[in-house]
Amino acid sequence: MTEIVLMSDPKVAAVPVQECGERLVDVRRDSPLLVDRRKWQDSAGAFAHLREGVLTRLLAAQAQLPPGLRLLFVEGYRPPALQRRYFDKYAAQLRTEHPQWSPDQIRSAASRYVSPPEIAPHSAGAAVDLTLADQDGRELDLGTRMNATPEESAGACYTHADNISDEARSHRAVLGAALAGAGLVNYPTEWWHWSYGDRYWALSTGAAAAHYGPTSNT
């Protein structure tokens, strides 16, 4: 894909899913990844889960980082009900700000930041929100805070935005090279969002089907 294809694009929903049944694993228990504490209020710990194959690729990516850098894992699996809540909340905000927009415009704009629930990579355990940290666990500057909206960041949340510093651009390049090298794909409107095995990954890579569909099991 050369242009940005949004999660709301019918081409994404049209990708078939051949669910492989791979289990979700807890990255806090089953890996040496550095896990940020910003989601730890989730007492069920859903955020810390990923499909096993995604975690394997994250560990491969971490091994390719330059000395002194680490992946900082923030969020993986997101239950479908929570994904729906996030999407509806952002869509409601956009409707208030742009009352002239049609339902299709709202859906498309919302999907720059939150995936429609029925195809959400996070709800398949296939996506991860992450950034870079130094050896002491200090988060590096990648140009915006994680989960900055396009409105808040003036588009700087887009992976290839030009309104960020050279240092932030360099950090994004390092992160992207390691993750892409391990087989993950980026959602271009969110520099922090990477996935493997979901519908968006399949469309991006030309795979015949997604390996992972939405799941309610942790």
Side-chain angles (χ1 to χ4, degrees), residues 8 34 36 62 78 88 115 147 163 201:
S8 59
L34 180 63
D36 188 88
Q62 179 156 274
R78 191 179 292 157
D88 290 349
S115 174
N147 292 323
N163 56 337
W201 165 87

Side-chain angles (χ1 to χ4, degrees), residues 15-23 51-54 57 121 124-126 183 195-203 205-215:
V15 173
V17 177
Q18 295 179 357
E19 174 59 56
C20 67
E22 193 175 279
R23 69 189 182 114
R51 297 284 190 144
E52 197 168 24
V54 182
R57 286 163 175 79
S195 68
Y196 170 82
D198 61 293
R199 282 177 161 134
Y200 198 85
W201 165 87
L203 183 65
T205 62
H211 303 321
Y212 312 130
T215 179

